């Protein structure tokens, strides 16, 4: 406890925590944290090392989190964290293509708990497409439970990706970023999620901002990672004439935005929106403002590769796929006919009838079973 600078659990809720940890739990905690902090010791690198660019990037990340900690955390409580960069892929010098961020956040109190965080980003421009995904996740480490120490089962917080690199439509998943997750993390880290704990440590909104910063997303607006690694969709109400008019009529202005003065002419009214991740944070913490409460999620028309011919192309693609599926079903039906009629002549006659029905009614729903064989399988009926 003393070696890592942990504080006693505050008197206000020390009796409600699940004990202060057994001797076995604290031994596991000491061994694990010592190992993690030794691996993450970036000061072992120098400018002459091959990994110096990564080292420089990590040092800047650490400095940003320190600044965020001073801004978001209560004065008397430190943010205990240990960062680690995974694989970094550089397109050109200082142009990041892919990044993996890992970190451990330790309870600042004498509670043998830690949270391991993971964030991955990939963005690569191709000739006619763009590869993109970003992901944030976490796992809880309770040193009383040995099975949680080396587990690799991370839980998703949120993510975004392009499933179609040409269309570039945002596929956002954010359902696990909610109040239940926030409460779970706060209880695990601080021992309680009471209002008193928020006053002593940080608000829910600042807790999320610290968690994201500890995963490399130090931008307060949560729009990008360092090196302009963009997280995808951003809602821009000033680009939508109907939305802009609606907000202007409502007199909506958020914060001290000088470009969103509803008292001037509408030509000078440009309300700022927000990215999907910032909106989710504002939503779950009850901090949506006069403008952001009208946020619109992305549609297919917001995709970077969408144009007026896209839907026509998609409809045509669906039509051809339906024909392919129909042909597949027809082939399977043909096999059933041949298997049923062992006599070659019977098989030939039924198949000829099937071809006649199929070709004349291709765009209709046809019950082949009823059409090709009737109540009896006599030669007369087949003919």
């Amino acid at each position: 406890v003393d070696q890592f600078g942990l504080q006693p659990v505050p008197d206000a809720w020390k009796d409600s925590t699940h004990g202060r940890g057994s001797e076995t739990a604290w031994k596991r905690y000491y061994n694990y944290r010592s190992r993690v902090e030794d691996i993450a010791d970036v000061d072992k690198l120098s400018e002459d090392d091959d990994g110096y660019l990564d080292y420089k990037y990590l040092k800047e990340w650490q400095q940003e989190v320190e600044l965020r900690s001073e801004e978001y955390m209560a004065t008397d409580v430190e943010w205990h964290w240990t960062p680690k960069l995974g694989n970094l892929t550089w397109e050109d010098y200082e142009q990041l293509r892919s990044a993996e961020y890992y970190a451990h956040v330790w309870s600042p109190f004498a509670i043998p708990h830690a949270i391991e965080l993971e964030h991955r980003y990939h963005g690569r421009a191709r000739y006619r497409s763009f590869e993109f995904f970003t992901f944030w996740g976490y796992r809880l480490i309770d040193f009383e439970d040995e099975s949680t120490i080396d587990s690799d089962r991370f839980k998703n917080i949120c993510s975004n990706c392009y499933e179609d690199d040409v269309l570039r439509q945002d596929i956002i998943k954010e359902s696990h970023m909610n109040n239940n997750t926030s409460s779970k993390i706060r209880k695990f880290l601080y021992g309680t999620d009471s209002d008193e704990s928020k006053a002593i440590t940080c608000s829910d909104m600042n807790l999320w901002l610290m968690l994201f910063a500890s995963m490399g997303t130090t931008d307060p607006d949560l729009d990008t990672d360092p090196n302009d690694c963009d997280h995808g969709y951003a809602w821009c109400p000033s680009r939508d004439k109907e939305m802009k008019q609606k907000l202007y009529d409502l007199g909506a202005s958020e914060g001290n935005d000088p470009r969103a003065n509803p008292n001037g002419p509408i030509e000078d009214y440009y309300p700022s929106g927000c990215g999907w991740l910032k909106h989710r944070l504002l939503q779950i913490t009850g901090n949506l403002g006069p403008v952001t409460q009208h946020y619109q999620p992305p549609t297919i028309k917001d995709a970077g590769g969408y144009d007026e011919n896209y839907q026509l192309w998609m409809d045509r693609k669906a039509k051809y796929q339906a024909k392919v599926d129909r042909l597949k079903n027809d082939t399977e039906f043909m096999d059933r006919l041949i298997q049923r009629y062992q006599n070659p002549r019977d098989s030939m006659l039924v198949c000829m009838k099937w071809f006649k029905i199929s070709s004349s009614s291709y765009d209709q729903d046809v019950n082949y079973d009823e059409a090709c064989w009737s109540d009896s399988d006599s030669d007369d009926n087949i003919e």
Side-chain angles (χ1 to χ4, degrees):
V1 172
D2 294 336
Q3 178 170 342
F4 295 114
L6 304 183
Q7 301 171 234
V9 178
D11 292 338
W13 67 83
K14 67 179 181 180
D15 295 332
S16 63
T17 59
H18 300 292
R20 300 193 180 184
S22 64
E23 183 177 352
T24 301
W26 281 112
K27 285 181 178 179
R28 293 170 182 159
Y29 177 97
Y30 175 83
N31 292 332
Y32 184 89
R33 184 165 179 176
S34 298
R35 174 165 51 90
V36 167
E37 293 188 346
D38 182 64
I39 294 173
D41 188 0
V42 298
D43 292 325
K44 294 179 179 179
L45 292 173
S46 68
E47 293 186 25
D48 297 328
D49 291 316
D50 292 337
Y52 177 69
L53 190 60
D54 295 0
Y55 160 78
K56 178 174 176 289
Y57 193 80
L58 181 55
K59 291 296 288 185
E60 292 173 353
W61 177 22
Q62 288 179 314
Q63 292 167 3
E64 284 293 325
V65 174
E66 288 176 6
L67 292 175
R68 299 288 171 262
S69 176
E70 293 175 2
E71 180 179 356
Y72 300 143
M73 298 297 296
T75 306
D76 297 331
V77 177
E78 294 183 15
W79 183 257
H80 288 244
W81 78 300
T82 307
K84 176 190 173 185
L85 280 174
N87 293 325
L88 296 183
T89 304
W90 300 91
E91 190 80 41
D92 296 309
Y93 183 72
E94 294 192 355
Q95 180 60 45
L96 195 61
R97 179 197 296 175
S98 301
E100 296 175 351
Y101 304 84
Y102 300 96
H104 285 80
V105 176
W106 316 91
S107 173
F109 304 125
I111 302 173
H113 287 174
I115 301 174
E116 186 174 7
L117 303 170
E118 175 186 24
H119 170 41
R120 299 184 184 187
Y121 168 86
H122 174 74
R124 185 181 187 185
R126 298 286 192 175
Y127 177 60
R128 291 186 177 179
S129 63
F130 192 89
E131 301 170 357
F132 165 70
F133 72 81
T134 187
F135 161 89
W136 295 263
Y138 76 100
R139 73 181 186 93
L140 306 179
I141 306 175
D142 181 354
F143 291 94
E144 292 285 5
D145 182 357
E146 190 173 11
S147 66
T148 67
I149 295 177
D150 294 318
S151 171
D152 59 357
R153 298 181 63 182
F154 282 80
K155 295 184 178 179
N156 184 303
I157 295 175
C158 56
S159 64
N160 189 15
C161 71
Y162 295 157
E163 292 182 350
D164 185 327
D165 295 344
V166 177
L167 177 60
R168 289 168 285 160
Q169 180 183 9
D170 293 81
I171 307 299
I172 296 170
K173 297 180 180 180
E174 56 185 16
S175 62
H176 295 294
M177 184 178 172
N178 54 41
N179 290 325
N180 289 337
T181 301
S182 176
S183 177
K184 181 190 298 184
I185 290 175
R186 180 179 289 279
K187 283 182 180 179
F188 194 79
L189 205 57
Y190 300 130
T192 180
D193 63 347
S194 66
D195 291 339
E196 193 165 11
S197 79
K198 297 176 185 180
I200 292 175
T201 57
C202 61
S203 66
D204 284 342
M205 183 167 180
N206 286 347
L207 176 60
W208 278 114
L209 288 171
M210 285 304 304
L211 290 170
F212 279 112
S214 299
M215 290 185 278
T217 306
T218 55
D219 175 16
D221 290 325
L222 306 179
D223 288 333
T224 63
D225 291 338
N227 288 70
D228 299 320
C229 296
D230 191 270
H231 296 154
Y233 175 74
W235 176 62
C236 300
S238 59
R239 296 181 182 177
D240 183 333
K241 291 184 179 180
E242 292 184 5
M243 179 58 70
K244 180 179 178 180
Q245 184 67 55
K246 176 181 178 180
L247 295 173
Y248 181 79
D249 293 341
L250 291 171
S253 179
E254 199 154 326
N256 298 316
D257 188 354
R259 291 164 53 84
N261 180 12
N263 298 318
I266 192 171
E267 290 79 10
D268 298 331
Y269 179 69
Y270 292 96
S272 299
C274 62
W276 66 271
L277 185 53
K278 180 64 174 293
H279 170 262
R280 184 60 176 176
L281 175 61
L282 295 174
Q283 183 184 46
I284 64 174
T285 57
N287 285 290
L288 289 173
V291 174
T292 50
Q293 66 178 312
H294 297 281
Y295 169 90
Q296 297 294 312
T299 67
I300 193 170
K301 292 185 178 180
D302 295 304
Y306 180 86
D307 60 31
E308 59 185 8
N309 294 320
Y310 180 80
Q311 195 60 51
L312 180 63
W313 178 78
M314 287 298 292
D315 292 343
R316 186 177 299 171
K317 181 180 177 181
K319 182 178 179 181
Y320 285 132
Q321 185 61 51
K323 288 186 176 181
V324 170
D325 293 341
R326 184 74 170 269
L327 284 171
K328 181 180 178 182
N329 292 336
D330 289 352
T331 303
E332 293 174 351
F333 180 74
M334 185 81 139
D335 290 340
R336 285 161 50 208
L337 285 179
I338 294 173
Q339 291 173 8
R340 178 164 184 174
Y341 293 95
Q342 301 299 323
N343 184 296
R345 176 178 174 277
D346 293 347
S347 296
M348 180 66 71
L349 290 171
V350 172
C351 290
M352 288 174 63
K353 186 173 184 181
W354 167 73
F355 276 121
K356 182 178 180 180
I357 296 169
S358 179
S359 61
S360 63
S361 308
Y362 200 79
D363 293 326
Q364 303 176 21
D365 291 329
V366 178
N367 188 326
Y368 289 160
D369 287 329
E370 294 181 0
C372 283
W373 52 66
S374 50
D375 294 335
S376 73
D377 295 334
S378 67
D379 288 350
D380 292 338
N381 283 323
I382 292 174
E383 293 174 352

